[in-house]
Amino acid sequence: MLSIDRSIIDAIVAHARRDHPDEACGVVAGPAGSDTPTRHIPMDNAARSMTFYEFDSMEQLRVWREMDDRDEEPVVIYHSHTATEAYPSRTDVSFAGEPGAHYLLVSTREPDTEEIRSFRIVDGVVTEEPVEIVDAAVDPHAVQSYMFGQSPATVDYECSDR
Amino acid sequence: MAIEVRIPTILRSYTGGAKVVEGSGDTLADLLTDLDSRHAGLRARLVTDAGALHRFVNVYVNDEDVRFLGALDAKLNDGDSVTILPAVAGGAFGFAAAAAIASHAVAARATAAR
């Protein structure tokens, strides 16, 4: 399960919309070992392509060193697919080199709705996981009743059936 | 002579979990051969069967991407720091076409950097 703050998801979606129809990419860093994404770092897509993304190697070195200095790790690595579903392509799987990261995909193929899905990719094996979007601004004790499957401060996205 | 090498998480299974190892060599190719003598299998994750640096990794000498320093022929000096990172790339495109574009882009940037 990926648990991530709504403000970060909103920033990722805004980045993906801004760069559409090119693919957008970036990282959300978090304290090492916490599995909690806290610091959104939009990255340049050096490929500037509608069907391919690639971190600029020099920007990546700077960002990875900065994370090291701050005792952080890449908790989330995200990119957008702009004409297809939010599911890892064979290319995505071939390149996936951070076994501890959540690979978040956003599809911007629909103009009004985003498809947001998260995956673990380890040794070439793709495993989808639920995404829990946490609304830090809402006081969870302020609401006393809610529908099954929802809580006042979170929205759970189950894995799509495939 | 000692060169510090920073190993990414995905390759630490070859270094007994160590984040930083030391090696020696006059070029990156020599260094990787030296490292492989103590960390068997590491070199094969970085160098293709054809003897080129893998697309899936970025290797840096100090602050420079080795693709701009002659790749495996990059010269090394005592006290240099080598950093290995997984390349972060992907996208909706098919792999063969993407790899062709990427190698073209790298070649174009290397030309531009000269």
Side-chain angles (χ1 to χ4, degrees), chain A residues 10-73:
Chain A
D10 288 349
I12 290 172
V13 168
H15 180 203
R17 287 286 175 206
R18 197 161 63 235
D19 286 8
H20 185 92
D22 283 352
E23 294 193 4
C25 55
V27 176
V28 189
S34 71
D35 200 32
T36 304
T38 54
R39 190 165 67 91
H40 174 219
I41 311 164
M43 303 282 286
D44 278 344
N45 178 1
R48 297 196 189 288
S49 162
M50 296 189 284
T51 51
F52 190 65
Y53 82 96
E54 181 178 31
F55 284 6
D56 175 83
S57 66
M58 297 312 296
E59 183 183 29
Q60 188 189 349
L61 179 65
R62 280 199 307 278
V63 168
W64 255 244
R65 277 197 180 149
E66 190 180 55
M67 285 193 284
D68 230 27
D69 291 345
R70 298 166 61 119
D71 205 18
E72 291 174 333
E73 59 191 5

Coordinates of all heavy atoms in Angstrom, one line a residue, chain A residues 10-73:
Chain A
D10 N -1.8 16.1 -5.7 CA -2.3 17.2 -6.5 C -1.1 17.8 -7.3 O -1.3 18.2 -8.5 CB -2.9 18.3 -5.6 CG -4.3 17.8 -5.1 OD1 -4.8 16.8 -5.6 OD2 -4.8 18.5 -4.2
A11 N 0.1 17.9 -6.7 CA 1.2 18.5 -7.3 C 1.7 17.6 -8.5 O 2.1 18.1 -9.5 CB 2.3 18.8 -6.3
I12 N 1.7 16.3 -8.3 CA 2.1 15.4 -9.3 C 1.2 15.4 -10.5 O 1.6 15.5 -11.7 CB 2.2 13.9 -8.7 CG1 3.3 13.8 -7.8 CG2 2.3 12.9 -9.9 CD1 3.4 12.5 -7.0
V13 N -0.1 15.5 -10.2 CA -1.1 15.5 -11.3 C -1.0 16.9 -12.1 O -1.0 16.9 -13.3 CB -2.6 15.4 -10.8 CG1 -3.6 15.7 -11.8 CG2 -2.8 14.0 -10.3
A14 N -0.7 18.0 -11.3 CA -0.5 19.3 -12.0 C 0.7 19.2 -12.9 O 0.7 19.8 -14.0 CB -0.4 20.4 -10.9
H15 N 1.8 18.6 -12.4 CA 3.0 18.4 -13.2 C 2.7 17.6 -14.5 O 3.1 18.0 -15.6 CB 4.1 17.8 -12.4 CG 5.4 17.6 -13.1 ND1 6.3 16.6 -12.7 CD2 5.9 18.2 -14.2 CE1 7.3 16.7 -13.5 NE2 7.1 17.6 -14.4
A16 N 1.9 16.5 -14.3 CA 1.6 15.7 -15.5 C 0.7 16.4 -16.5 O 0.9 16.3 -17.7 CB 0.9 14.4 -15.0
R17 N -0.2 17.2 -16.0 CA -1.1 18.0 -16.9 C -0.3 19.1 -17.6 O -0.5 19.4 -18.8 CB -2.2 18.7 -16.1 CG -3.3 17.7 -15.6 CD -4.2 17.3 -16.7 NE -5.1 16.3 -16.3 CZ -5.7 15.4 -17.1 NH1 -5.4 15.4 -18.4 NH2 -6.5 14.5 -16.6
R18 N 0.6 19.7 -16.9 CA 1.4 20.8 -17.4 C 2.3 20.3 -18.6 O 2.4 21.0 -19.6 CB 2.3 21.4 -16.3 CG 2.9 22.7 -16.5 CD 3.3 23.3 -15.2 NE 4.4 22.6 -14.5 CZ 4.3 22.1 -13.3 NH1 3.2 22.3 -12.6 NH2 5.3 21.4 -12.8
D19 N 2.8 19.1 -18.5 CA 3.8 18.6 -19.5 C 3.0 17.8 -20.6 O 3.7 17.5 -21.6 CB 4.8 17.7 -18.9 CG 5.9 18.5 -18.1 OD1 5.7 19.8 -18.0 OD2 6.9 17.9 -17.7
H20 N 1.8 17.5 -20.4 CA 1.0 16.8 -21.4 C 1.1 17.6 -22.7 O 0.9 18.8 -22.7 CB -0.5 16.7 -20.9 CG -1.3 15.9 -21.8 ND1 -1.5 14.5 -21.6 CD2 -2.1 16.2 -22.9 CE1 -2.4 14.1 -22.6 NE2 -2.7 15.1 -23.3
P21 N 1.3 16.9 -23.9 CA 1.3 15.5 -24.1 C 2.6 14.8 -23.9 O 2.7 13.6 -24.2 CB 0.8 15.4 -25.6 CG 1.4 16.7 -26.2 CD 1.4 17.7 -25.1
D22 N 3.6 15.5 -23.5 CA 4.9 14.8 -23.2 C 4.7 14.1 -21.8 O 3.9 14.5 -21.0 CB 6.0 15.8 -23.1 CG 6.6 16.3 -24.4 OD1 6.1 15.7 -25.4 OD2 7.4 17.2 -24.5
E23 N 5.5 13.1 -21.6 CA 5.5 12.4 -20.3 C 6.2 13.2 -19.3 O 7.2 13.9 -19.6 CB 6.1 11.0 -20.5 CG 5.3 10.1 -21.4 CD 5.8 8.6 -21.2 OE1 6.6 8.3 -20.4 OE2 5.2 7.8 -22.0
A24 N 5.6 13.3 -18.1 CA 6.3 14.0 -17.0 C 6.8 12.9 -16.0 O 6.4 11.8 -16.0 CB 5.2 14.9 -16.3
C25 N 7.9 13.3 -15.2 CA 8.5 12.4 -14.3 C 9.0 13.1 -13.1 O 9.3 14.3 -13.1 CB 9.6 11.6 -15.0 SG 10.9 12.6 -15.8
G26 N 9.2 12.4 -12.0 CA 9.8 12.9 -10.8 C 9.9 12.0 -9.7 O 9.7 10.7 -9.9
V27 N 10.2 12.5 -8.5 CA 10.5 11.7 -7.3 C 9.7 12.3 -6.2 O 9.5 13.5 -6.1 CB 12.0 11.7 -7.0 CG1 12.3 11.0 -5.7 CG2 12.8 11.2 -8.2
V28 N 9.3 11.5 -5.2 CA 8.9 12.0 -3.9 C 9.8 11.3 -2.9 O 9.8 10.1 -2.7 CB 7.4 11.7 -3.6 CG1 7.1 12.5 -2.3 CG2 6.5 12.1 -4.7
A29 N 10.7 12.2 -2.3 CA 11.6 11.7 -1.3 C 10.9 11.6 0.1 O 9.9 12.3 0.3 CB 12.8 12.6 -1.2
G30 N 11.5 10.7 0.9 CA 11.0 10.6 2.3 C 12.1 10.2 3.2 O 13.2 9.6 2.7
P31 N 12.0 10.3 4.5 CA 13.1 9.8 5.4 C 13.4 8.3 5.1 O 12.4 7.6 5.0 CB 12.4 10.0 6.8 CG 11.4 11.1 6.6 CD 10.9 10.9 5.2
A32 N 14.6 8.0 5.1 CA 15.1 6.6 4.9 C 14.4 5.7 5.8 O 14.4 5.9 7.0 CB 16.6 6.5 5.0
G33 N 13.8 4.6 5.3 CA 13.2 3.6 6.1 C 11.8 3.9 6.6 O 11.1 3.0 7.2
S34 N 11.3 5.1 6.3 CA 9.9 5.5 6.8 C 8.8 5.0 5.9 O 7.7 4.9 6.3 CB 9.9 7.0 6.9 OG 9.8 7.6 5.6
D35 N 9.1 4.8 4.6 CA 8.1 4.5 3.6 C 7.1 5.6 3.5 O 5.9 5.4 3.1 CB 7.4 3.1 3.9 CG 6.8 2.5 2.6 OD1 7.3 2.8 1.5 OD2 5.7 1.9 2.8
T36 N 7.4 6.8 3.8 CA 6.5 8.0 3.8 C 7.0 9.0 2.9 O 8.1 9.6 3.1 CB 6.4 8.6 5.2 OG1 6.0 7.5 6.1 CG2 5.4 9.7 5.3
P37 N 6.3 9.3 1.8 CA 6.8 10.3 0.8 C 6.4 11.7 1.3 O 5.3 12.0 1.7 CB 6.0 10.0 -0.5 CG 4.8 9.2 0.0 CD 5.1 8.6 1.3
T38 N 7.4 12.6 1.4 CA 7.2 13.9 2.0 C 7.7 15.1 1.2 O 7.2 16.2 1.3 CB 7.9 14.0 3.4 OG1 9.3 13.7 3.2 CG2 7.3 13.1 4.4
R39 N 8.6 14.8 0.3 CA 9.2 16.0 -0.5 C 9.1 15.7 -2.0 O 9.8 14.9 -2.5 CB 10.7 16.2 0.0 CG 11.3 17.4 -0.5 CD 12.6 17.7 0.2 NE 13.7 16.8 0.0 CZ 14.6 16.9 -1.0 NH1 14.6 18.0 -1.7 NH2 15.5 16.0 -1.1
H40 N 8.3 16.5 -2.6 CA 8.0 16.3 -4.1 C 9.1 17.0 -4.9 O 9.4 18.2 -4.7 CB 6.6 16.9 -4.4 CG 6.3 16.9 -5.9 ND1 5.7 17.9 -6.5 CD2 6.6 16.0 -6.9 CE1 5.6 17.7 -7.8 NE2 6.1 16.5 -8.0
I41 N 9.8 16.3 -5.8 CA 10.8 16.8 -6.6 C 10.5 16.5 -8.1 O 10.7 15.4 -8.6 CB 12.2 16.2 -6.3 CG1 12.4 16.2 -4.8 CG2 13.3 16.9 -7.1 CD1 13.6 15.3 -4.3
P42 N 9.8 17.5 -8.8 CA 9.6 17.3 -10.2 C 10.9 17.3 -11.0 O 11.8 18.1 -10.7 CB 8.7 18.5 -10.6 CG 8.7 19.4 -9.5 CD 9.4 18.8 -8.3
M43 N 11.1 16.3 -11.9 CA 12.3 16.2 -12.6 C 12.1 16.6 -14.1 O 11.0 16.4 -14.6 CB 12.9 14.8 -12.5 CG 13.1 14.3 -11.1 SD 14.6 14.9 -10.3 CE 15.9 13.9 -11.2
D44 N 13.1 17.0 -14.8 CA 13.0 17.2 -16.2 C 12.9 15.9 -16.9 O 13.6 15.0 -16.5 CB 14.3 17.9 -16.7 CG 14.2 19.4 -16.5 OD1 13.1 19.9 -16.3 OD2 15.3 20.1 -16.6
N45 N 12.1 15.8 -17.9 CA 12.1 14.7 -18.8 C 13.1 15.0 -19.9 O 12.8 15.7 -20.9 CB 10.8 14.4 -19.4 CG 10.8 13.2 -20.4 OD1 11.9 12.6 -20.6 ND2 9.7 12.9 -21.0
A46 N 14.4 14.4 -19.8 CA 15.4 14.7 -20.7 C 15.1 14.3 -22.1 O 15.6 14.8 -23.1 CB 16.8 14.1 -20.3
A47 N 14.2 13.3 -22.3 CA 13.8 12.8 -23.6 C 12.7 13.7 -24.2 O 12.6 13.6 -25.4 CB 13.2 11.4 -23.4
R48 N 12.0 14.5 -23.4 CA 11.0 15.4 -24.0 C 10.1 14.7 -25.0 O 10.1 15.1 -26.2 CB 11.6 16.7 -24.6 CG 12.3 17.5 -23.5 CD 12.5 18.9 -24.0 NE 13.4 19.6 -23.0 CZ 13.1 19.9 -21.8 NH1 11.9 19.8 -21.4 NH2 14.0 20.5 -21.0
S49 N 9.5 13.6 -24.6 CA 8.8 12.7 -25.5 C 7.4 12.4 -25.0 O 7.2 12.4 -23.8 CB 9.6 11.4 -25.7 OG 8.9 10.4 -26.2
M50 N 6.5 12.1 -26.0 CA 5.2 11.7 -25.6 C 5.1 10.2 -25.2 O 4.1 9.8 -24.7 CB 4.2 11.9 -26.8 CG 4.1 13.4 -27.2 SD 2.8 13.7 -28.4 CE 3.6 13.1 -29.9
T51 N 6.2 9.5 -25.5 CA 6.2 8.0 -25.2 C 7.4 7.5 -24.4 O 7.5 6.3 -24.3 CB 6.1 7.3 -26.6 OG1 7.2 7.8 -27.4 CG2 4.8 7.4 -27.3
F52 N 8.2 8.4 -24.0 CA 9.4 8.0 -23.3 C 9.8 9.1 -22.3 O 9.6 10.2 -22.5 CB 10.6 7.8 -24.3 CG 11.8 7.1 -23.7 CD1 11.7 5.8 -23.2 CD2 13.0 7.8 -23.6 CE1 12.9 5.2 -22.7 CE2 14.1 7.1 -23.1 CZ 14.1 5.8 -22.6
Y53 N 10.3 8.6 -21.1 CA 10.9 9.6 -20.2 C 12.2 9.1 -19.7 O 12.5 7.9 -19.7 CB 9.9 9.8 -19.0 CG 10.1 8.8 -17.9 CD1 10.9 9.0 -16.8 CD2 9.4 7.6 -18.0 CE1 11.0 8.1 -15.8 CE2 9.5 6.7 -17.0 CZ 10.3 6.9 -15.9 OH 10.4 6.0 -14.9
E54 N 13.0 10.1 -19.3 CA 14.4 9.8 -18.9 C 14.8 10.9 -18.0 O 14.8 12.1 -18.4 CB 15.3 9.6 -20.1 CG 16.7 9.3 -19.7 CD 17.6 9.1 -21.0 OE1 17.3 9.8 -22.0 OE2 18.5 8.3 -21.0
F55 N 15.3 10.6 -16.8 CA 15.8 11.6 -15.9 C 17.1 12.1 -16.6 O 17.9 11.4 -17.1 CB 16.2 11.1 -14.5 CG 15.0 10.9 -13.6 CD1 13.7 11.0 -14.0 CD2 15.3 10.5 -12.3 CE1 12.6 10.8 -13.2 CE2 14.2 10.3 -11.4 CZ 12.9 10.5 -11.8
D56 N 17.4 13.4 -16.5 CA 18.7 14.0 -16.9 C 19.7 13.5 -15.9 O 19.5 13.6 -14.7 CB 18.6 15.5 -16.9 CG 20.0 16.1 -17.2 OD1 20.3 16.2 -18.3 OD2 20.7 16.5 -16.2
S57 N 20.8 12.9 -16.4 CA 21.7 12.2 -15.5 C 22.4 13.1 -14.5 O 22.6 12.7 -13.4 CB 22.7 11.4 -16.3 OG 23.6 12.2 -17.0
M58 N 22.6 14.3 -14.9 CA 23.3 15.3 -14.0 C 22.3 15.8 -12.9 O 22.7 15.9 -11.8 CB 23.9 16.5 -14.8 CG 25.0 16.0 -15.7 SD 26.3 14.9 -15.0 CE 27.0 16.0 -13.8
E59 N 21.1 16.0 -13.4 CA 20.1 16.4 -12.4 C 19.8 15.3 -11.4 O 19.7 15.5 -10.2 CB 18.7 16.8 -13.1 CG 17.7 17.3 -12.1 CD 16.3 17.6 -12.8 OE1 16.0 17.0 -13.8 OE2 15.7 18.5 -12.2
Q60 N 19.8 14.1 -11.9 CA 19.6 12.9 -11.0 C 20.7 12.8 -10.0 O 20.5 12.5 -8.8 CB 19.5 11.6 -11.8 CG 19.1 10.4 -10.9 CD 19.2 9.1 -11.7 OE1 19.4 9.1 -12.9 NE2 19.1 8.0 -10.9
L61 N 22.0 13.0 -10.4 CA 23.1 12.9 -9.5 C 22.9 14.0 -8.3 O 23.1 13.6 -7.2 CB 24.4 13.2 -10.2 CG 25.7 13.1 -9.3 CD1 25.9 11.7 -8.7 CD2 26.9 13.5 -10.1
R62 N 22.6 15.2 -8.7 CA 22.4 16.3 -7.7 C 21.3 15.9 -6.7 O 21.4 16.0 -5.5 CB 22.0 17.6 -8.4 CG 23.1 18.4 -9.0 CD 22.7 19.8 -9.2 NE 21.5 20.0 -10.0 CZ 21.4 19.9 -11.3 NH1 22.5 19.7 -12.0 NH2 20.3 20.1 -12.0
V63 N 20.1 15.4 -7.3 CA 19.0 15.1 -6.4 C 19.3 13.9 -5.5 O 19.0 13.9 -4.3 CB 17.7 14.8 -7.3 CG1 16.6 14.2 -6.5 CG2 17.3 16.1 -7.9
W64 N 19.9 12.8 -6.1 CA 20.2 11.6 -5.3 C 21.3 12.0 -4.2 O 21.2 11.4 -3.1 CB 20.8 10.5 -6.2 CG 19.8 9.4 -6.4 CD1 19.9 8.1 -6.1 CD2 18.5 9.5 -7.1 NE1 18.8 7.4 -6.4 CE2 17.9 8.2 -7.1 CE3 17.8 10.6 -7.7 CZ2 16.7 8.0 -7.7 CZ3 16.6 10.3 -8.3 CH2 16.0 9.0 -8.3
R65 N 22.2 12.9 -4.5 CA 23.2 13.3 -3.4 C 22.5 14.1 -2.3 O 22.8 13.9 -1.2 CB 24.3 14.2 -4.1 CG 25.4 13.3 -4.7 CD 26.6 14.2 -4.9 NE 27.6 13.4 -5.6 CZ 28.5 13.9 -6.4 NH1 28.5 15.2 -6.7 NH2 29.4 13.1 -6.9
E66 N 21.6 14.9 -2.8 CA 20.8 15.7 -1.8 C 20.0 14.8 -0.9 O 20.0 15.0 0.3 CB 19.9 16.7 -2.5 CG 19.3 17.8 -1.6 CD 18.4 18.7 -2.4 OE1 17.5 18.2 -3.1 OE2 18.6 19.9 -2.3
M67 N 19.4 13.8 -1.5 CA 18.6 12.9 -0.6 C 19.6 12.2 0.4 O 19.2 12.0 1.5 CB 17.9 11.8 -1.5 CG 16.7 12.4 -2.2 SD 15.6 11.1 -2.9 CE 16.6 10.6 -4.4
D68 N 20.7 11.8 -0.1 CA 21.7 11.1 0.7 C 22.1 12.0 1.9 O 22.2 11.5 3.0 CB 23.0 10.8 -0.1 CG 23.4 9.3 0.1 OD1 22.5 8.5 0.4 OD2 24.6 9.0 -0.1
D69 N 22.4 13.3 1.6 CA 22.8 14.2 2.6 C 21.7 14.4 3.7 O 22.0 14.7 4.8 CB 23.1 15.6 2.0 CG 24.4 15.5 1.2 OD1 25.1 14.6 1.3 OD2 24.6 16.5 0.3
R70 N 20.4 14.3 3.2 CA 19.3 14.6 4.1 C 18.8 13.3 4.8 O 17.8 13.2 5.4 CB 18.2 15.2 3.4 CG 18.5 16.6 2.8 CD 17.5 17.1 1.8 NE 16.2 17.2 2.4 CZ 15.5 18.4 2.5 NH1 16.0 19.5 2.0 NH2 14.3 18.4 3.1
D71 N 19.5 12.2 4.5 CA 19.1 10.8 5.0 C 17.7 10.5 4.5 O 16.9 10.0 5.3 CB 19.2 10.8 6.5 CG 19.4 9.4 7.0 OD1 19.8 8.5 6.2 OD2 19.1 9.1 8.2
E72 N 17.5 10.8 3.2 CA 16.3 10.4 2.6 C 16.5 9.3 1.5 O 17.6 9.1 1.1 CB 15.7 11.7 1.9 CG 15.2 12.7 2.8 CD 14.7 14.0 2.0 OE1 15.2 14.2 0.9 OE2 13.9 14.7 2.6
E73 N 15.4 8.8 1.0 CA 15.5 7.9 -0.1 C 14.3 8.2 -1.1 O 13.3 8.8 -0.7 CB 15.5 6.4 0.3 CG 14.2 6.0 1.1 CD 14.4 4.7 1.8 OE1 15.5 4.1 1.8 OE2 13.4 4.2 2.4

